């Protein structure tokens, strides 16, 4: 932390911009952003992490809303299984 504290603002900004995982959010991202506030005692929404094969991840990664696309495919599969 001493190294970070010794940096100027411009050095810290340059270092952050050099990190591909720390890029600024653009206006397109902010237009799609949703604020979710959980009330005290309210259960979190169910969530699952799933490991995808690289080719599957690449395909769905091209979709505008990757999670929604994966969920839609899985939902169609489940509906087909009910028959």
């Amino acid at each position: 932390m001493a190294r970070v504290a010794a940096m100027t603002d411009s050095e810290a900004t340059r270092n952050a911009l050099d990190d591909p995982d720390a890029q600024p959010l653009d206006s397109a991202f902010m237009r799609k952003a949703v604020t979710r506030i959980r009330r005290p005692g309210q259960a979190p929404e169910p969530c699952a992490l799933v490991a995808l094969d690289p080719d599957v991840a690449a395909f769905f990664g091209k979709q505008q809303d990757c999670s929604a696309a994966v969920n839609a495919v899985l939902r169609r599969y489940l509906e087909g299984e009910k028959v």
Side-chain angles (χ1 to χ4, degrees):
M1 289 306 297
R3 183 176 71 88
V4 174
M7 286 183 197
T8 65
D9 285 347
S10 62
E11 288 172 320
T13 300
R14 187 175 57 247
N15 287 336
L17 292 174
D18 286 344
D19 181 349
D21 293 328
Q23 296 305 297
L25 303 176
D26 61 9
S27 59
F29 176 89
M30 297 308 287
R31 280 193 300 275
K32 295 187 304 184
V34 176
T35 301
R36 293 190 174 119
I37 301 173
R38 191 172 1 139
R39 291 175 175 69
Q42 181 182 10
E45 294 181 21
C47 180
L49 296 177
V50 180
L52 301 174
D53 291 338
D55 58 330
V56 174
F59 174 80
F60 282 105
K62 295 176 187 172
Q63 309 300 316
Q64 186 167 358
D65 186 346
C66 176
S67 294
V70 170
N71 196 55
V73 168
L74 293 173
R75 170 108 14 240
R76 278 184 249 143
Y77 176 81
L78 284 174
E79 290 170 355
E81 288 294 304
K82 292 178 186 176
V83 178

